[in-house]
Amino acid sequence: GNSVTQMEGPVTLSEEAFLTINCTYTATGYPSLFWYVQYPGEGLQLLLKATKADDKGSNKGFEATYRKETTSFHLEKGSVQVSDSAVYFCALRTRGNQFYFGTGTSLTVIP
Amino acid sequence: EAGVTQFPSHSVIEKGQTVTLRCDPISGHDNLYWYRRVMGKEIKFLLHFVKESKQDESGMPNNRFLAERTGGTYSTLKVQPAELEDSGVYFCASSPDWDGNQETQYFGPGTRLLVL
């Protein structure tokens, strides 16, 4: 079956710290992979995506590389800011156009 | 361009009552999706409309849930009668015509439902 597993939170970091949020997936076939972010009081927004193995998605200083060999799509940012405080969701989309999400990881960045 | 909107933002009802959630997708988007996140768990797919037709409703938990999209514009999700385990956040998303791997779904802010 298809599923996404991401590291449990909450995660609390100081400003300018390095961020990693782990995400691994199980899928039949070759899914596309996504990171969505939900800021307080808002809907989920697409942060970045990768549609095939070895692709790197990047946006707003965040990066994630589609690793087929380790079935992973870890989210990283070199220097977080207070404004990055949000809930981050890893997701995969199958060829049949179904989305599967992880449980979400809450990030709080303190000044 | 207005985003996906959902109404109400919050709803608190008693077990056995009926609640109707509404989603207005981005204008022109043929695809509309409903998802649910139960407290602390993953966001789960409920169903997918293409215009007014149900493309995939494999995620609907049971027959207490009824989704409609008359006219292919806004959609409603009715829960009748509501049970305690229906509590959670209900998200709606929309996307334009699917173009292979390029589809991006745009999410609304969600409706927080609490069944007491």
Side-chain angles (χ1 to χ4, degrees), chain A residues 4 32 34 36 38 41-46 49 51 87 89 93-105, chain B residues 31 33 35 37 40-45 48 56 58-59 91 98 100-110 112:
Chain A
V4 174
S32 296
F34 301 78
Y36 278 83
Q38 184 181 24
E42 299 183 15
L44 277 73
Q45 301 174 23
L46 178 64
K49 67 180 181 182
T51 58
V87 181
F89 293 89
R93 190 194 63 199
T94 67
R95 294 298 183 191
N97 202 29
Q98 272 215 359
F99 268 85
Y100 294 82
F101 286 85
T103 54
T105 302
Chain B
N31 296 282
Y33 305 82
Y35 295 88
R37 186 187 188 204
K41 298 193 174 181
E42 68 272 24
I43 299 171
K44 284 198 169 181
F45 167 83
H48 170 204
D56 181 352
S58 60
F91 292 101
W98 187 37
N101 288 325
Q102 303 307 311
E103 188 211 26
T104 294
Q105 295 190 12
Y106 298 86
F107 281 78
R112 292 185 178 276

Side-chain angles (χ1 to χ4, degrees), chain A residues 6-7 19 21 35-39 47 62 75 77 80-81 83-90 102-109, chain B residues 37:
Chain A
Q6 61 182 104
M7 65 184 285
L19 169 71
I21 301 178
W35 277 99
Y36 278 83
V37 58
Q38 184 181 24
Y39 298 104
L47 181 59
F62 291 89
L75 182 68
K77 186 174 185 180
V80 292
Q81 305 301 311
S83 57
D84 294 327
S85 298
V87 181
Y88 293 81
F89 293 89
C90 185
T103 54
T105 302
S106 175
L107 170 67
T108 300
V109 181
Chain B
R37 186 187 188 204

Side-chain angles (χ1 to χ4, degrees), chain A residues 15-68:
Chain A
E15 206 166 21
E16 298 183 1
F18 184 85
L19 169 71
T20 300
I21 301 178
N22 290 338
C23 172
T24 57
Y25 67 90
T26 301
T28 53
Y30 303 98
S32 296
L33 301 175
F34 301 78
W35 277 99
Y36 278 83
V37 58
Q38 184 181 24
Y39 298 104
E42 299 183 15
L44 277 73
Q45 301 174 23
L46 178 64
L47 181 59
L48 52 85
K49 67 180 181 182
T51 58
K52 62 183 186 296
D54 300 325
D55 271 1
K56 176 187 283 188
S58 61
N59 185 26
K60 299 181 181 180
F62 291 89
E63 292 183 342
T65 301
Y66 190 140
R67 300 285 188 200
K68 185 181 175 186

Side-chain angles (χ1 to χ4, degrees), chain B:
Chain B
E1 177 183 85
V4 177
T5 58
Q6 293 187 242
F7 182 83
S9 59
H10 295 77
S11 180
V12 181
I13 61 173
E14 293 186 351
K15 175 183 171 181
Q17 291 186 320
T18 297
V19 63
T20 300
L21 313 181
R22 173 172 169 143
C23 169
D24 286 77
I26 293 173
S27 178
H29 281 194
D30 288 341
N31 296 282
L32 188 149
Y33 305 82
W34 283 99
Y35 295 88
R36 177 173 72 172
R37 186 187 188 204
V38 174
M39 180 66 74
K41 298 193 174 181
E42 68 272 24
I43 299 171
K44 284 198 169 181
F45 167 83
L46 296 178
L47 87 159
H48 170 204
F49 283 100
V50 178
K51 298 184 181 179
E52 67 274 11
S53 300
K54 291 177 184 175
Q55 180 77 9
D56 181 352
E57 53 184 329
S58 60
M60 295 288 265
N62 52 60
N63 59 10
R64 295 186 293 102
F65 289 74
L66 175 64
E68 295 180 323
R69 193 183 182 194
T70 307
T73 54
Y74 71 91
S75 174
T76 58
L77 179 65
K78 180 191 288 188
V79 185
Q80 178 182 30
E83 298 290 344
L84 300 179
E85 64 265 26
D86 300 332
S87 298
V89 181
Y90 290 76
F91 292 101
C92 175
S94 73
S95 68
D97 289 346
W98 187 37
D99 179 18
N101 288 325
Q102 303 307 311
E103 188 211 26
T104 294
Q105 295 190 12
Y106 298 86
F107 281 78
T111 294
R112 292 185 178 276
L113 174 65
L114 179 61
V115 182
L116 301 176

